[in-house]
Amino acid sequence: MHSISFSTAIISGRNHYTSDLSPPSLRFCGLRRATLRFSRASRSEPRRGSLSSKLHFKKLSASLSDNRSAAKAFDYDLVIIGAGVGGHGAALHAVEKVHKLLIDSTGVNSVSVSSVIGRRADQQLQGLKTAIIEGDVIGGTCVNRGCVPSKALLAVSRRMRELQNEHHLKALGLQVSAAGYDRQGVADHANNLALKIRNNLTNSMKAIGVDILTGVGTILGPQKVKYGKVGASENVITAKNIIIATGSVPFVPKGIEVDGADSSFTSSSFYFYSLYTKLRKTVITSDHALKLEVVPDWVAIVGSGYIGLEFSDVYTALGSEVTFIEALDQLMPGFDPEISKLAQRVLINPRKIDYHTGVFATKITPAKNGKPVTIELIDAKTKEPKDTLEVDAALIATGRAPFTKGLGLENINVATERGFIPVDERMRVIDAEGNLVPHLYCIGDANGKMMLAHAASAQGISVVEQVSGKDHVLNHLSVPAACFTHPEISMVGLTEPQAKEKAEKQGFEISIAKTSFKANTKALAENEGEGLAKLIYRPDNGEILGVHIFGMHAADLIHEASNAIALGTRVQDIKYAVHAHPTLSEVLDELFKSAKVSLLSSYSYCANQQQIDY
Ligand SMILES: Cc1cc2nc3c(=O)[nH]c(=O)nc-3n(C[C@H](O)[C@H](O)[C@H](O)COP(=O)(O)OP(=O)(O)OC[C@H]3O[C@@H](n4cnc5c(N)ncnc54)[C@H](O)[C@@H]3O)c2cc1C
Ligand SMILES: NC(=O)c1ccc[n+]([C@@H]2O[C@H](COP(=O)([O-])OP(=O)(O)OC[C@H]3O[C@@H](n4cnc5c(N)ncnc54)[C@H](O)[C@@H]3O)[C@@H](O)[C@H]2O)c1
């Protein structure tokens, strides 16, 4: 059904990790895109899948058959190396653009695009041919070892935490007997979700005609890539444009020994086997931790960033005690300081968590021969030995390293910077001499601009816009981020210190507005009044510089702010937007309403409104 002439290839080839690709949502899965439907503008238009619409497409396809692109000179117009969410997002967009074009030019509505037009018409219309190369499993980090399984574990931890909180339940008038969990059941939930999303992702690409090529992708020279299993016969393909989307792997600092699952055990007794199984992996990264093979009684988490925080939420809800080890002077150093402080008060202090800040974990030795995991700490500033900890397990959450092994960057004179592939604001790769490498782009974790799933995907979409002839620059300051603890933390744009620095450099003032969840009816009805929303803005013109939220469903609430920044909407405009009552969104409504923008800027809004109304 889908013999394609329009193809997008993704090469994904990291064979030392065994997880699948999946997008955090259907948007990444592309299932919806595969069956795009368009509302009928008038009754006279052809009906979905009707014979007349099919004939119409056939005619259109035939009439455009000579409209072939440069694909003739290359095997593909677009080859993507790496089928994580970045590569997947780029591939879907390449195909979606064609669908839009086709619908626009035919005026046909309510048509299941994939079932009617197939790939042939796509190729003829767009002139693109796209493929994706994956060396491991489709979905990359996010689907197999990241966003997806971690959010499944966090869904469990939220419920466990709530069911264990007698005070909270009592306030709602609820009585629940002791909550418990089945570790394997929880692990299965995470694994099954990853599997499901990976399959969705794979099917979505197949359905829309992306060529999925299997094996490690290596760039041989300009516009030339080989792919295939190492040692097996190699396939060489040419592409007008290449996108590198090879992602990242856990970064483990020197001196930290991560143990594997390979040792054999000598005891024949089942008891000792069980004990061994329980202890076999004691110094782990998130790749291992997501399998939830064990819930350690006491776990040290090295690094209090996103991964550390989310896992502290999971582990403490499941009964572990946690010790944070953080190199910087405060926990959660990546967040706005005021939000970190509040988060510490709610997410750390009342839980079974202690912490050491301003220290490096220099040496970590896995549990062996009945001895626990040992962690040697040194003072981050003086480098003097500080302490030695003994714990049941250690999770290393000290950031991620870009993955570019086997990519053949040397063949195109590209030198990495701290492992990352250097790119400009359009994701165009920069070579060792500082020149742009023609037709070569790098998106997602591998370029290090913003290590988030949706950022990778957005960068991919931006590149597809460019290779399709439309200039596009992604505003990274409009890309939201969220940490899915309970309550959640979310943010977009600048933190207060970053905004102050920018204001000083550029000579403007900043103002801060804040609202509390305590005044929000919905939050109080849920007995979840702990929370804060903070707006950093320019009082002279109403520009939104940053928004930070800590509280229930903060990850969902942030989009009003991120969309406003992306669209250039100012405080004086958005403050008149109407929010349903009672909703958590009213926290943001109050936030924007409480901001004070100079009268002159506010006047321009009123003038615009009058014009529109009139
Ligand atoms: C525990 C955890 C939780 C996370 N949670 C979130 C979250 O909630 N929200 C969020 O936004 N982000 C989250 N992230 C970050 C997110 O997973 C990454 O930012 C995202 O996966 C990056 O996507 P990518 O496409 O750049 O790379 P990846 O997803 O890493 O995909 C790269 C793909 O390329 C393949 N590949 C590599 N080299 C080659 C080659 N030479 N040839 C062929 N194929 C190759 C790999 O096998 C892989 O499939 C989380 C990360 C972790 C570790
Ligand atoms: N919800 C999400 O969006 C989400 C969830 C998980 C991961 N991620 C992404 O994955 C990436 C990796 O997450 P992460 O939490 O590993 O990294 P991170 O950069 O967020 O945090 C790493 C922390 O480890 C500390 N650190 C580094 N080396 C140390 C050492 N030797 N001893 C003690 N502390 C040390 C750092 O100071 C920092 O606070 C992030 O870039 C993040 O964007 C996102």
Side-chain angles (χ1 to χ4, degrees):
M1 176 186 167
H2 288 302
S3 64
I4 287 197
S5 45
F6 172 88
S7 40
T8 297
I10 292 189
I11 308 179
S12 171
R14 185 166 43 187
N15 51 14
H16 58 282
Y17 283 101
T18 51
S19 51
D20 301 273
L21 108 169
S22 73
S25 71
L26 263 188
R27 190 168 72 82
F28 287 126
C29 298
L31 283 182
R32 276 188 307 201
R33 295 180 183 187
T35 53
L36 283 175
R37 282 177 171 78
F38 299 81
S39 60
R40 245 173 287 155
S42 82
R43 293 207 163 262
S44 60
E45 284 169 349
R47 293 169 59 188
R48 180 189 337 166
S50 69
L51 186 60
S52 60
S53 68
K54 286 179 185 168
L55 286 174
H56 186 74
F57 276 113
K58 273 191 180 165
K59 272 190 210 155
L60 176 82
S61 157
S63 71
L64 291 164
S65 62
D66 54 351
N67 187 22
R68 302 292 296 255
S69 77
K72 274 188 178 163
F74 297 94
D75 296 318
Y76 290 97
D77 287 309
L78 180 62
V79 166
I80 301 158
I81 308 176
V85 289
H88 178 259
L92 288 194
H93 191 61
V95 178
E96 189 194 40
K97 281 180 77 71
V98 177
H99 286 166
K100 276 208 183 111
L101 205 67
L102 191 58
I103 292 303
D104 289 350
S105 52
T106 59
V108 173
N109 298 319
S110 294
V111 173
S112 171
V113 173
S114 59
S115 66
V116 175
I117 61 177
R119 298 176 184 178
R120 194 150 173 268
D122 288 350
Q123 178 188 13
Q124 289 161 351
L125 264 178
Q126 184 81 347
L128 289 180
K129 197 176 178 195
T130 312
I132 193 160
I133 308 175
E134 173 56 57
D136 186 19
V137 280
I138 298 266
T141 304
C142 179
V143 174
N144 304 293
R145 308 170 286 273
C147 332
V148 173
S150 64
K151 266 76 251 179
L153 297 183
L154 282 156
V156 174
S157 76
R158 177 175 70 79
R159 286 173 173 84
M160 276 300 291
R161 199 172 291 293
E162 190 164 23
L163 292 173
Q164 288 168 337
N165 188 341
E166 260 180 61
H167 181 70
H168 170 74
L169 293 175
K170 213 169 164 189
L172 295 170
L174 292 174
Q175 291 168 352
V176 178
S177 57
Y181 69 92
D182 160 33
R183 184 201 53 77
Q184 191 55 52
V186 178
D188 289 347
H189 171 53
N191 189 41
N192 291 340
L193 183 68
L195 210 79
K196 186 176 182 170
I197 304 291
R198 183 195 316 163
N199 286 340
N200 285 353
L201 229 68
T202 309
N203 292 339
S204 70
M205 288 197 289
K206 284 184 182 163
I208 59 173
V210 174
D211 280 0
I212 301 175
L213 312 176
T214 306
V216 174
T218 303
I219 300 172
L220 295 176
Q223 297 171 296
K224 193 186 274 186
V225 178
K226 74 172 182 187
Y227 71 94
K229 291 219 160 40
V230 180
S233 65
E234 282 160 358
N235 308 290
V236 176
I237 50 174
T238 57
K240 189 171 178 200
N241 293 290
I242 298 171
I243 299 179
I244 298 170
T246 51
S248 67
V249 291
F251 167 71
V252 178
K254 254 206 230 156
I256 296 179
E257 191 187 328
V258 174
D259 56 358
D262 42 282
S263 333
S264 57
F265 65 97
T266 48
S267 170
S268 55
S269 118
F270 178 71
Y271 171 75
F272 282 111
Y273 171 68
S274 310
L275 201 65
Y276 174 76
T277 307
K278 195 179 171 211
L279 296 176
R280 68 186 163 164
K281 288 179 195 171
T282 52
V283 182
I284 58 177
T285 64
S286 55
D287 285 357
H288 301 298
L290 287 166
K291 294 177 186 156
L292 203 71
E293 285 179 352
V294 69
V295 178
D297 291 340
W298 185 7
V299 57
I301 300 183
V302 186
S304 64
Y306 285 85
I307 293 180
L309 261 187
E310 290 187 353
F311 269 101
S312 75
D313 197 284
V314 172
Y315 279 135
T316 51
L318 299 185
S320 304
E321 289 182 33
V322 168
T323 295
F324 267 119
I325 296 165
E326 170 55 54
L328 296 182
D329 285 338
Q330 64 166 65
L331 290 177
M332 302 168 262
F335 301 108
D336 182 271
E338 193 172 4
I339 296 289
S340 298
K341 226 183 248 173
L342 174 59
Q344 177 160 338
R345 188 158 66 68
V346 179
L347 299 176
I348 308 286
N349 297 349
R351 298 181 182 176
K352 286 185 177 169
I353 301 178
D354 69 350
Y355 52 88
H356 301 259
T357 52
V359 290
F360 279 119
T362 44
K363 189 169 179 207
I364 301 188
T365 314
K368 241 179 248 157
N369 306 325
K371 288 188 185 149
V373 173
T374 56
I375 303 177
E376 292 175 25
L377 302 180
I378 62 162
D379 188 287
K381 288 186 188 109
T382 65
K383 306 288 184 275
E384 293 293 321
K386 193 93 189 262
D387 217 339
T388 300
L389 306 180
E390 292 185 345
V391 291
D392 296 321
L395 168 64
I396 314 306
T398 47
R400 298 194 44 97
F403 188 81
T404 55
K405 210 170 126 194
L407 199 48
L409 294 176
E410 63 285 358
N411 298 332
I412 41 165
N413 189 31
V414 170
T416 58
E417 289 172 3
R418 291 179 303 113
F420 294 104
I421 297 177
V423 292
D424 72 353
E425 76 284 4
R426 288 177 174 79
M427 311 304 132
R428 295 177 294 194
V429 174
I430 300 168
D431 74 11
E433 265 78 53
N435 302 316
L436 292 176
V437 182
H439 308 289
L440 184 66
Y441 301 81
C442 175
I443 61 168
D445 283 9
N447 71 30
K449 273 186 179 285
M450 208 173 204
M451 295 175 104
L452 294 171
H454 46 281
S457 184
Q459 289 171 0
I461 288 168
S462 178
V463 169
V464 169
E465 288 291 301
Q466 293 170 58
V467 303
S468 308
K470 187 176 160 206
D471 191 27
H472 189 270
V473 178
L474 176 67
N475 176 8
H476 284 82
L477 283 175
S478 73
V479 178
C483 190
F484 294 82
T485 45
H486 301 103
E488 295 169 343
I489 310 171
S490 64
M491 73 224 73
V492 63
L494 304 175
T495 61
E496 190 176 337
Q498 287 168 340
K500 276 186 178 149
E501 196 185 322
K502 183 173 177 177
E504 266 167 36
K505 269 192 199 145
Q506 298 185 6
F508 61 81
E509 296 288 312
I510 63 162
S511 288
I512 309 281
K514 292 178 209 169
T515 45
S516 165
F517 278 57
K518 285 196 174 78
N520 179 272
T521 308
K522 182 72 183 292
L524 293 177
E526 298 285 343
N527 196 28
E528 300 272 0
E530 194 71 78
L532 172 82
K534 172 174 174 177
L535 165 69
I536 306 159
Y537 67 103
R538 284 182 64 156
D540 58 340
N541 64 12
E543 183 185 350
I544 300 168
L545 300 171
V547 173
H548 303 263
I549 310 173
F550 175 80
M552 189 185 195
H553 294 311
D556 292 298
L557 294 177
I558 197 68
H559 295 97
E560 181 165 7
S562 61
N563 288 343
I565 294 178
L567 300 172
T569 310
R570 307 240 158 170
V571 171
Q572 61 271 26
D573 302 324
I574 202 167
K575 74 197 298 180
Y576 291 95
V578 180
H579 297 68
H581 175 75
T583 59
L584 293 171
S585 300
E586 289 171 299
V587 170
L588 285 201
D589 188 21
E590 288 301 316
L591 185 68
F592 293 124
K593 282 189 164 64
S594 66
K596 306 264 178 290
V597 180
S598 89
L599 278 178
L600 207 61
S601 303
S602 303
Y603 173 75
S604 75
Y605 168 81
C606 294
N608 286 342
Q609 272 302 98
Q610 275 175 358
Q611 265 179 359
I612 293 162
D613 290 343
Y614 185 75

